[in-house]
Amino acid sequence: MHLIDTYGRNVTNLRISLTSKCNLRCTYCHREGEFEPKEEMSLEDIAEILRVAKKFGINSVKLTGGEPTIRKDIIDIIKAIPEGMEASMTTNGTLLAPIAKDLKEAGLSRVNISIDSLDRERYKQISGKDMLPEVLEGIEAAVDAGLTPVKLNIVVLKGVNEDEVENFIRFAGGRKEIILQFIELMDLDVDKGVSNVSELEEDLKKRSKTIITRRMHHRKKYCLEGAEVEVVRPMHNKEFCANCNRLRVTSDGELKPCLLRHDNHVNVRGKRGEELEELFRVAVGRREPFFK
Ligand SMILES: Nc1nc2c(ncn2[C@@H]2O[C@H](COP(=O)(O)OP(=O)(O)OP(=O)(O)O)[C@@H](O)[C@H]2O)c(=O)[nH]1
Ligand SMILES: C[S@@+](CC[C@H](N)C(=O)[O-])C[C@H]1O[C@@H](n2cnc3c(N)ncnc32)[C@H](O)[C@@H]1O
Ligand code: SF4
Ligand code: SF4
């Protein structure tokens, strides 16, 4: 049983927002489209969604938010992920160090950690909190726990952190377990100015020994100076959307066919069994590439 949308895109990945709450206030944050505080899904709701997703052949899940590590039942949520489903998490890393080992033991495979600056003062300006040391500890704890590869997410912000690209490449250079992801700012309504990630990508291309194209979103991975670097360029990118294989779930239990749309959600809160399966089909039927 597989979920293929009307554009021929096979849904193989579920992206679940576990909470809309966060302990940071990043200036640019899209909050995965959730800005109001919402009543979170229960562990049972999440477990049932995962069970149905597995039945439909969805073989990987990304836990995100808000900040997923602030959920008290995070370990139980990970334990509820069905066998054979690859589980990863995207986190700001501030609360990660003390729980990294437990997350791994519960079945989490790897983490992406957001770190927009290696400079303490600048990190504070971007995120609203002076927590760079905790994030750096979180990165090392994740590596030690085997939550690898650890991907570092860096949103490239014009006039703010563009000058840190080389620093990040040096930071990851020679460390096989760390991958960098430079992310283009999705500018929704935020008037922050969009950095020219295409220019950065051209430069990386010139310097790379090897370039790999990932199946997901057809993203490119560049290998240079001992570092692996991905560039995530979602805006006005038809190729990215044409190869989008993820279905989202909002923290309050709605299937969300596209990150950038808020008008086509399917409410599945509290739904079980065949009724939930049918709603998965409805949501996949509503999927269409945002940029086409
Ligand atoms: N437009 C768009 N942006 C996305 C999508 N998925 C991820 N992103 C953006 O890509 C960036 C990285 O997302 P992550 O949560 O780290 O996950 P990922 O890199 O997509 O997934 P993995 O490579 O499997 O770890 C974030 O800025 C997301 O907002 C998507 O389907 N559409
Ligand atoms: C919304 S956060 C949720 C998970 C966690 N709190 C974190 O920061 O990693 C997921 C990812 O989206 C990125 N992100 C948030 N707002 C964005 C925007 N406007 N454009 C591009 N990426 C964004 C963040 O940097 C982070 O890597
Ligand atoms: S830590 Fe993540 S969810 Fe929180 S404000 Fe920053 S990007 Fe958004
Ligand atoms: S914008 Fe929508 S269609 Fe495009 S990649 Fe993101 S979620 Fe998929």
Side-chain angles (χ1 to χ4, degrees), residues 4 34 45-46 64 106 124 147 196 206 208 210 259 275:
I4 299 175
E34 297 189 55
D45 285 340
I46 295 169
T64 179
K124 184 176 160 191
L147 289 166
N196 194 344
K206 277 190 216 135
S208 294
T210 326
L259 169 64
E275 190 183 4

Side-chain angles (χ1 to χ4, degrees), residues 1 10 13 83 106 125 169 198 237 240-241:
M1 224 168 35
N10 192 357
N13 176 272
E83 281 276 319
Q125 277 167 16
I169 291 176
S198 309
N237 185 344
F240 195 89
C241 292

Side-chain angles (χ1 to χ4, degrees), residues 1-20:
M1 224 168 35
H2 286 277
L3 293 167
I4 299 175
D5 69 21
T6 48
Y7 293 82
R9 301 176 303 172
N10 192 357
V11 177
T12 54
N13 176 272
L14 199 67
R15 198 175 163 94
I16 306 185
S17 173
L18 296 182
T19 177
S20 59

Side-chain angles (χ1 to χ4, degrees), residues 109-159:
S109 159
R110 61 188 178 88
V111 287
N112 293 4
I113 301 178
S114 303
I115 174 166
D116 295 320
S117 177
L118 290 168
D119 176 85
R120 189 163 174 173
E121 189 51 38
R122 200 180 265 178
Y123 179 90
K124 184 176 160 191
Q125 277 167 16
I126 298 171
S127 71
K129 287 235 180 104
D130 182 19
M131 293 189 87
L132 181 64
E134 285 83 346
V135 182
L136 293 171
E137 264 178 57
I139 294 170
E140 297 312 325
V143 170
D144 290 346
L147 289 166
T148 50
V150 173
K151 295 192 183 181
L152 302 187
N153 281 355
I154 304 128
V155 177
V156 182
L157 301 163
K158 201 178 175 71

